[in-house]
Amino acid sequence: MAAKKPPSAASTPPPDVGLLEEIGGGFMSAAATVGGMGLLGYQIVRRLVTLRFDRQETLRNLYRMGVKSIPIVIVTALFTGAIMVIQAAPLVVRLGAQGLLGWGAGFGILREIAPLLTALMINGRVGANNTAELGTMVVTEQIDALRVLAIDPIAFLIAPRFVAMVTTLFLSTIFADTLALLGAAYGGLGLLGVEPKTFYNGLTSGLLGLSDVTSGLVKSIVFGVVIALSSCQYGLGVKGGAPGVGRAVNATVVASAAGIFVLDYFVSFTLD
């Protein structure tokens, strides 16, 4: 009986080649996802421009995404404002700059903190749920059933979710701005003894402008677009049954969060 030959070294790729293949595959997958999101965005815009989307489904999603997110937005915003006061407290006490507390808190909350944290919280709650719902519909062939019934899935399912997501982010950011400032004002009273009147005098003393408010609101719209496109794209692209749904949900949360931070940088750079 002939002895079994060991596998030749030529048949096993060197480690560096395998690593390059993995990196290249990752870039190709990311490019395919971004391209798919761009195509999906084009299809959504076409339905919105021609008013070919389901109004009832839009209202249902607004309630599900917006109204049901109110508790988490309240908690996040109030404590965010209070945390900013805690961080600023040593500097305010050392410099005796209690009158600037309102300006400092307002600058950070309106331009950056409120839109960013609201988007991350909505992404974790709504974006992941959106992907799970669409992925489940793909796995159970409900999307195919809609096409068989001559119902356009983009007009019936995707465009309403896109509108609801962007609207939810925009309105939630306005709500979060207000509550975070309220939390900062009363956090300043509790920690530093700064009266709310002094806080709001600093907030409205003219150091903050309309651009500080609009900058945060523009970011909220951009973040809403990112979460909507990402969650819908990963949901519609689910493969592999229930495990595939789990992988898509995880990918949505990671990709949306990364997209939020990247676009936050570019929007801040453009508007500032």
Side-chain angles (χ1 to χ4, degrees):
M1 184 175 179
K4 190 175 180 180
K5 294 182 178 179
S8 68
S11 62
T12 304
D16 55 340
V17 174
L19 179 62
L20 288 175
E21 287 179 349
E22 189 172 341
I23 294 174
F27 275 112
M28 292 298 291
S29 176
T33 301
V34 173
M37 289 171 61
L39 181 59
L40 183 62
Y42 170 71
Q43 293 175 322
I44 292 171
V45 169
R46 283 187 58 189
R47 269 67 169 188
L48 296 180
V49 170
T50 56
L51 300 179
R52 290 167 47 210
F53 64 97
D54 192 287
R55 276 71 168 174
Q56 290 298 321
E57 186 69 10
T58 303
L59 292 176
R60 192 181 76 82
N61 279 288
L62 274 172
Y63 172 77
R64 190 169 55 87
M65 295 179 182
V67 176
K68 290 195 171 184
S69 296
I70 287 177
I72 197 169
V73 172
I74 291 175
V75 173
T76 303
L78 284 175
F79 280 92
T80 295
I83 289 169
M84 290 199 67
V85 171
I86 292 174
Q87 297 299 324
L91 189 62
V92 169
V93 171
R94 185 168 51 180
L95 299 178
Q98 284 82 357
L100 293 177
L101 184 64
W103 167 76
F107 186 83
I109 288 171
L110 296 174
R111 293 184 70 95
E112 195 63 55
I113 301 300
L116 186 61
L117 291 184
T118 303
L120 292 175
M121 297 306 293
I122 296 291
N123 178 43
R125 200 193 83 79
V126 179
N129 185 58
N130 195 36
T131 300
E133 276 192 2
L134 291 174
T136 303
M137 295 178 76
V138 170
V139 170
T140 55
E141 300 182 346
Q142 295 180 55
I143 303 289
D144 293 334
L146 289 176
R147 293 194 178 96
V148 170
L149 295 172
I151 298 174
D152 180 6
I154 302 295
F156 182 66
L157 289 175
I158 307 304
R161 290 165 193 257
F162 179 88
V163 173
M165 186 76 77
V166 175
T167 306
T168 294
L169 254 295
F170 182 75
L171 295 179
S172 295
T173 300
I174 295 175
F175 191 44
D177 283 344
T178 306
L179 289 176
L181 290 175
L182 192 65
Y186 285 94
L189 176 63
L191 292 171
L192 302 172
V194 178
E195 292 292 329
K197 183 179 178 181
T198 305
F199 180 90
Y200 284 108
N201 284 338
L203 189 65
T204 58
S205 61
L207 294 174
L208 292 175
L210 184 62
S211 61
D212 297 309
V213 180
T214 56
S215 174
L217 296 181
V218 169
K219 288 179 181 178
S220 72
I221 295 173
V222 174
F223 297 160
V225 171
V226 170
I227 297 172
L229 289 180
S230 177
S231 62
C232 291
Q233 174 67 18
Y234 278 107
L236 293 175
V238 164
K239 295 178 182 176
V245 176
R247 289 193 294 271
V249 169
N250 184 53
T252 293
V253 174
V254 174
S256 297
I260 285 169
F261 281 107
V262 171
L263 289 176
D264 187 21
Y265 169 80
F266 285 108
V267 174
S268 299
F269 183 80
T270 303
L271 296 180
D272 287 348

